[in-house]
């Protein structure tokens, strides 16, 4: 272990934390911690390149995303161990999400995810609400697809309920992370690809998409087409102030349930069967 490590703190509007965290994971996949209005990255390697990449991104984006940066060199006090000790397991619906340094829990469906190594640990409100929706919606034998799978936690949850699981993500690092987490849980997905739902074949009993609101609207036709009649569509990653915009793109489906948690909305739709 080196005597020094680098810590980059990014302060930004909380609504952009997930978006910028996803971007960071494309270029640096370790020591990422995020909270309300803040992202912290720690590494024994200099993080100037990450800061420079984010500054360039901020300049290129035609939006109101503003980030402040603080890069420090600190004494190494085994921050990985310290970070691990700060992560607590969670219970979400039928599932118990725990890092590998904890033990499984009886009476729950156990999913092992190491937050220090993968984005999407169940702690964020959107993932938590999706796990609850999956607990209520997915049945053994269902065919499901997780669009924008990230760490693969939602697909893992469906697989442990006995579903046939396909996953996709446009980010190659997320695809890699998903593979690793299925292996960590000794589970096997049925299909996994780099890309989006436009590469899917056939229809599904349940379609899950935990992505930012603008992307949900952009791919809304593909998402709806992938749901079989009588099937369900679970949407999340929606800030409450963008909820109505998302709903407008899915108004031809029946809204079965709405969950609000920490300003994030999860919507469960049903695609009604056509009579005759």
């Amino acid at each position: 272990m080196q005597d020094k490590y680098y810590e980059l703190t990014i302060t930004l509007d909380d609504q952009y934390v997930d978006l910028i965290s996803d971007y960071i994971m494309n270029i640096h996949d370790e020591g990422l911690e995020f909270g309300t209005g803040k992202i912290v990255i720690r590494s024994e390697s200099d993080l100037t390149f990450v800061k420079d990449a984010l500054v360039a991104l901020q300049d290129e984006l035609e939006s109101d995303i503003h980030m402040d940066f603080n890069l420090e060199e600190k004494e190494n006090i085994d921050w990985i161990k310290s970070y691990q000790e700060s992560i607590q397991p969670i219970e979400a619906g039928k599932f118990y999400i725990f890092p590998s340094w904890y033990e499984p829990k009886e009476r729950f469906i156990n999913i092992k995810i190491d937050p220090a190594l993968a984005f999407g640990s169940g702690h964020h409100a959107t993932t938590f609400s999706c796990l609850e929706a999956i607990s209520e919606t997915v049945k053994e034998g269902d065919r499901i697809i997780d669009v924008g799978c990230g760490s693969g936690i939602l697909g893992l949850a469906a697989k442990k309920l006995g579903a046939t699981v396909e996953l996709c993500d446009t980010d190659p690092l997320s695809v890699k992370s998903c593979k690793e987490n299925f292996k960590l849980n000794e589970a096997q997905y049925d299909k996994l690809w780099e890309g989006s739902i436009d590469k899917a074949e056939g229809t599904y009993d349940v379609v899950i998409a935990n992505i930012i609101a603008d992307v949900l609207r952009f791919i809304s036709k593909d998402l709806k087409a992938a749901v079989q009649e009588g099937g369900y569509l679970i949407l999340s990653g929606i800030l409450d102030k963008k909820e109505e915009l998302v709903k407008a793109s899915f108004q031809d489906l029946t809204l079965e349930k709405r969950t609000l948690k920490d300003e994030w909305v999860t919507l469960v739709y049903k695609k009604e069967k056509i009579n005759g």
Side-chain angles (χ1 to χ4, degrees), residues 2-270:
Q2 298 179 14
D3 294 334
K4 304 281 185 179
Y5 74 94
Y6 297 88
E7 181 176 285
L8 175 62
T9 302
I10 304 129
T11 306
L12 69 168
D13 191 310
D14 189 54
Q15 66 177 303
Y16 299 119
V17 167
D18 277 4
L19 176 65
I20 299 302
S21 295
D22 264 342
Y23 176 79
I24 293 169
M25 288 293 290
N26 283 319
I27 58 177
H28 184 79
D29 63 347
E30 63 178 359
L32 179 65
E33 178 181 349
F34 55 96
T36 303
K38 183 173 69 173
I39 302 169
V40 181
I41 314 167
R42 301 182 182 92
S43 176
E44 291 183 339
S45 302
D46 189 355
L47 292 168
T48 300
F49 79 98
V50 177
K51 177 184 174 182
D52 290 345
L54 291 172
V55 169
L57 176 68
Q58 183 174 252
D59 292 341
E60 290 174 8
L61 290 174
E62 295 181 1
S63 69
D64 54 356
I65 297 181
H66 176 76
M67 294 176 277
D68 292 314
F69 305 95
N70 183 42
L71 179 57
E72 298 179 276
E73 186 177 352
K74 294 188 173 184
E75 296 290 331
N76 201 334
I77 53 171
D78 197 355
W79 54 265
I80 293 178
K81 180 180 179 182
S82 176
Y83 174 59
Q84 288 180 344
E85 290 174 350
S86 74
I87 299 298
Q88 299 296 315
I90 64 165
E91 299 172 5
K94 298 177 181 179
F95 306 102
Y96 179 67
I97 315 300
F98 67 104
S100 59
W101 50 92
Y102 277 83
E103 293 298 319
K105 194 169 187 176
E106 292 183 2
R107 299 186 301 278
F108 283 88
I109 298 172
N110 290 277
I111 299 177
K112 188 186 299 184
I113 297 284
D114 286 342
L117 303 177
F119 183 70
S121 60
H123 289 76
H124 193 274
T126 60
T127 313
F128 186 94
S129 297
C130 281
L131 288 168
E132 289 187 322
I134 289 168
S135 296
E136 299 169 358
T137 306
V138 176
K139 308 181 302 298
E140 184 175 359
D142 279 352
R143 185 183 186 215
I144 77 104
I145 183 169
D146 181 7
V147 184
C149 61
S151 69
I153 185 173
L154 302 180
L156 267 168
K159 190 67 178 180
K160 286 179 176 285
L161 288 172
T164 297
V165 174
E166 299 180 20
L167 312 98
C168 61
D169 202 297
T170 57
D171 175 15
L173 187 60
S174 291
V175 172
K176 180 175 180 288
S177 173
C178 181
K179 289 179 180 179
E180 292 171 348
N181 282 310
F182 266 79
K183 184 176 180 180
L184 182 65
N185 285 271
E186 298 180 348
Q188 181 60 54
Y189 48 80
D190 295 275
K191 288 184 182 179
L192 170 63
W193 67 88
E194 183 183 332
S196 191
I197 193 168
D198 58 319
K199 295 182 180 179
E201 298 178 352
T203 56
Y204 301 82
D205 297 286
V206 183
V207 174
I208 306 163
N210 181 14
I211 321 174
I212 61 174
D214 291 340
V215 176
L216 291 176
R217 295 170 63 200
F218 182 72
I219 64 172
S220 59
K221 289 184 179 180
D222 287 336
L223 289 172
K224 289 184 288 186
V227 184
Q228 69 177 29
E229 290 184 13
Y232 294 89
L233 175 61
I234 300 172
L235 303 178
S236 196
I238 309 162
L239 275 169
D240 54 1
K241 67 181 184 180
K242 291 199 171 185
E243 178 181 358
E244 294 307 316
L245 291 173
V246 173
K247 283 182 174 178
S249 297
F250 296 90
Q251 58 186 345
D252 47 336
L253 303 181
T254 301
L255 181 60
E256 294 273 306
K257 185 175 182 180
R258 172 190 183 269
T259 302
L260 175 66
K261 184 176 174 61
D262 301 338
E263 299 183 341
W264 293 93
V265 177
T266 297
L267 304 171
V268 179
Y269 285 96
K270 184 175 183 180

